[in-house]
Amino acid sequence: MNYTLIGHDLKHAAEEMLLQLLPTALLTRQEDDGQEDFCCSMLQEDVNTVTVTTETRLSGVTRTSTRTGDIAGQDEMARKRIDSELVKLGIYDTVAPSLETPPAWGALTGVRPAKLVRSLLERGMTRGAVADRFRTRYFVSPERTALAVRCAAYAQQAVDGLKADEVSLYLGIPFCPSRCSYCSFVSSSVERAANLIEPYLDALCDEVWATGTLLKELGKKVTSVYIGGGTPTTLSADQLARLMETTANAMDFSALREYTVEAGRPDTITPEKLKAIRAGGADRVSINPQTMNDAVLARIGRRHSAEDVVRAYEAARALDFSVINMDTIAGLEGDTPDSFAQTIERLLALAPENITVHTLAIKRGADLSDRAANAAQHDSVARMLDFVQERLPRQGYGPYYLYRQKFSAGGFENIGWCKPGTESFYNIAMMEEIQTILSCGAGGVSKRVEPESGRITRFNAPKYPKEYMGAGERIDAGKRKLLHEKGVNHAEDL
């Protein structure tokens, strides 16, 4: 599809909406050639009003839309948000009528729908008014609207319990035993990078000490710790113990409410490593099968079986972790709604406190990057998620956080489900951006959150282990600047 923008340059907003509605489209920004499908978005603005006129031709059918917004008295950031929203809505108006099944999230493309709910509530809207806005202005389905409102309530509960002198901490281990075919994260296969693990751990422990020193200087306590990856259990039991002991000694844990280690792949989990994790102070662990179908596991490059998942889970349960999470992915190659349902049933039989259901995200750098194949899975993934949303509540699980990823299968969402009282504070804080989170490790993104203004400032560490290991002084300086300077406005995403 060709498209053009007149009176604005909101390319990101336009392409995001077009690709959500037409995931197989190849977008080219150029004038109408009279042959290809075409979309024109035109913005006109005066002192008080902005008007967006959209004309779209699909398969020979042309539709037009005119949307207006009030910008009187709005600052630059608010005006940009209104402009972006109107551009997206105009495209939705002119494309959605051509679709057999409109997306469940309607015209919302943002990754944090629950954050948008809270933003609207903070502007004085009632929950009922917010739900009505989601359904009638953004065309979100009743089911997804209820999901966003419920997750926003969990986030608000977390906000109400926050203290100004508390932060959360993330430690990243960018190594895996092998690379899964769907993965787009920056991680290194141990087969190729085993010699980097020990020097990387040295650099990580140094950064943890430096970060702990900074936090103590500022009088900050750590609310939650999350060790993720990659696969943290690519480290040995002794290496895990060393990292966790360093962290405990470097930080003020007097306000610690949860400590999670993402053990991840069962082919890296041993009783010795789980004992080291438990002894190091973690009370939560994540064991991530992604699927309990051995054929699908082999297709995605996993070197373990479903029975290995069960053995790892039982070993963790024997050590009395307070919460065990298990991750699944809807839309994996070779999976079907029936086999996915069998995965969910096997996990329910184990009865973990948390079950996280992701949809397959197609991102640059992943082997499974064919957008057309992704779009073809729409109906299959929808059936998988429908099963989850019917089955998990009957077993006592409720959704407590959600987020969306660009180019995920069908434009759906990732949802964390929990039994009552077992929600992860860290997951809520990270996804809803309600608390400052400092990251240690390669690729870490530290965020300073200023709750009163909603401002967010970020500092990114070098992505790759080799770059990271030589950047200790620069990372420490970046974090010091992050925590001492005021942030910049960060509008909620439509």
Side-chain angles (χ1 to χ4, degrees):
M1 166 177 269
N2 298 333
Y3 76 96
T4 188
L5 309 177
I6 300 174
H8 70 92
D9 195 34
L10 296 169
K11 175 183 176 181
H12 180 74
E15 290 194 348
E16 207 171 46
M17 191 74 260
L18 285 167
L19 288 174
Q20 175 158 302
L21 297 170
L22 304 169
T24 63
L26 297 176
L27 302 180
T28 303
R29 186 173 176 179
Q30 67 176 50
E31 296 298 324
D32 186 10
D33 62 7
Q35 303 296 320
E36 301 287 335
D37 290 340
F38 182 72
C39 177
C40 175
S41 173
M42 181 173 67
L43 185 147
Q44 296 172 298
E45 190 174 294
D46 59 30
V47 177
N48 298 317
T49 306
V50 60
T51 301
V52 173
T53 304
T54 310
E55 182 173 289
T56 300
R57 185 181 65 245
L58 281 174
S59 302
V61 178
T62 300
R63 293 183 175 88
T64 61
S65 165
T66 300
R67 293 265 185 171
T68 61
D70 181 6
I71 56 174
Q74 302 286 351
D75 62 23
E76 182 180 354
M77 183 63 67
R79 286 181 150 208
K80 185 175 181 180
R81 176 180 58 78
I82 293 169
D83 290 350
S84 178
E85 179 176 306
L86 293 176
V87 167
K88 291 180 182 180
L89 289 173
I91 293 172
Y92 187 91
D93 291 341
T94 56
V95 174
S98 299
L99 305 179
E100 183 176 345
T101 305
W105 284 103
L108 290 187
T109 62
V111 299
R112 296 179 175 86
K115 186 175 181 180
L116 178 57
V117 172
R118 290 192 299 112
S119 174
L120 295 173
L121 291 172
E122 289 169 0
R123 295 180 204 171
M125 296 179 68
T126 65
R127 285 191 182 184
V130 170
D132 183 68
R133 185 182 183 93
F134 264 53
R135 292 190 299 266
T136 61
R137 181 170 178 83
Y138 303 139
F139 310 103
V140 180
S141 73
E143 295 78 12
R144 293 314 193 275
T145 295
L147 177 64
V149 172
R150 174 163 183 166
C151 290
Y154 271 102
Q156 190 58 52
Q157 182 180 4
V159 169
D160 293 342
L162 290 178
K163 295 182 180 179
D165 64 346
E166 294 177 353
V167 301
S168 283
L169 179 69
Y170 177 85
L171 309 180
I173 309 297
F175 301 101
C176 288
S178 62
R179 192 172 181 85
C180 298
S181 60
Y182 58 80
C183 185
S184 62
F185 289 103
V186 176
S187 62
S188 301
S189 167
V190 171
E191 297 164 323
R192 298 182 178 181
N195 62 321
L196 294 178
I197 293 180
E198 189 63 29
Y200 176 85
L201 184 60
D202 290 340
L204 180 58
C205 286
D206 288 345
E207 186 186 0
V208 168
W209 271 113
T211 301
T213 299
L214 173 59
L215 291 177
K216 288 177 179 177
E217 289 173 2
L218 296 172
K220 301 290 186 182
K221 302 174 182 177
V222 176
T223 300
S224 66
V225 179
Y226 193 101
I227 302 180
T231 306
T233 43
T234 53
L235 301 183
S236 68
D238 287 343
Q239 288 170 331
L240 285 164
R242 175 187 166 198
L243 174 61
M244 297 180 76
E245 181 180 9
T246 298
T247 305
N249 289 334
M251 305 291 168
D252 183 347
F253 277 179
S254 62
L256 190 68
R257 61 176 81 174
E258 68 177 38
Y259 194 148
T260 306
V261 176
E262 188 176 347
R265 290 175 49 160
D267 47 336
T268 66
I269 298 172
T270 66
E272 292 74 24
K273 292 180 185 181
L274 290 172
K275 289 176 183 176
I277 291 169
R278 193 72 183 96
D283 58 336
R284 307 170 70 107
V285 68
S286 188
I287 297 170
N288 303 334
Q290 315 304 16
T291 175
M292 295 293 279
N293 183 302
D294 286 343
V296 177
L297 284 170
R299 277 176 177 261
I300 64 176
R302 289 278 182 134
R303 298 176 180 175
H304 65 82
S305 67
E307 287 306 312
D308 293 330
V309 175
V310 175
R311 283 191 287 271
Y313 177 87
E314 291 175 344
R317 185 56 78 199
L319 292 173
D320 197 32
F321 285 95
S322 62
V323 172
I324 298 178
N325 172 72
M326 304 188 83
D327 277 12
T328 63
I329 299 178
L332 290 171
E333 183 184 8
D335 214 358
T336 67
D338 287 343
S339 60
F340 181 80
Q342 291 169 9
T343 288
I344 296 299
E345 294 295 351
R346 292 197 68 179
L347 297 189
L348 289 174
L350 294 173
E353 286 73 21
N354 292 180
I355 296 176
T356 305
V357 180
H358 301 271
T359 51
L360 182 63
I362 303 300
K363 283 179 174 282
R364 195 173 299 167
D367 294 334
L368 299 175
S369 58
D370 179 49
R371 192 181 298 155
N374 176 231
Q377 295 182 53
H378 179 281
D379 291 342
S380 177
V381 172
R383 290 171 59 193
M384 294 176 185
L385 298 183
D386 286 346
F387 176 80
V388 166
Q389 295 193 44
E390 184 274 332
R391 188 73 179 93
L392 263 59
R394 290 200 284 122
Q395 292 299 113
Y397 294 85
Y400 76 94
Y401 85 103
L402 76 124
Y403 66 101
R404 303 173 65 207
Q405 289 176 271
K406 307 302 180 187
F407 310 121
S408 64
F412 292 112
E413 66 286 327
N414 307 307
I415 304 177
W417 297 80
C418 69
K419 292 182 177 180
T422 67
E423 62 272 11
S424 165
F425 171 83
Y426 176 83
N427 284 337
I428 294 172
M430 175 182 64
M431 286 302 160
E432 295 302 310
E433 298 181 318
I434 61 174
Q435 184 192 47
T436 294
I437 296 178
L438 294 184
S439 294
C440 296
V445 179
S446 296
K447 295 182 185 180
R448 174 181 172 172
V449 177
E450 299 172 45
E452 300 81 6
S453 64
R455 292 171 177 169
I456 295 174
T457 317
R458 294 173 174 83
F459 170 74
N460 299 344
K463 283 187 177 181
Y464 301 102
K466 285 185 178 179
E467 296 173 338
Y468 165 79
M469 287 186 288
E473 291 185 5
R474 178 161 65 88
I475 292 171
D476 185 48
K479 285 183 179 176
R480 287 181 174 276
K481 181 178 179 181
L482 177 77
L483 293 182
H484 282 93
E485 290 189 358
K486 292 294 182 181
V488 295
N489 282 315
H490 179 74
E492 72 279 358
D493 197 5
L494 170 63

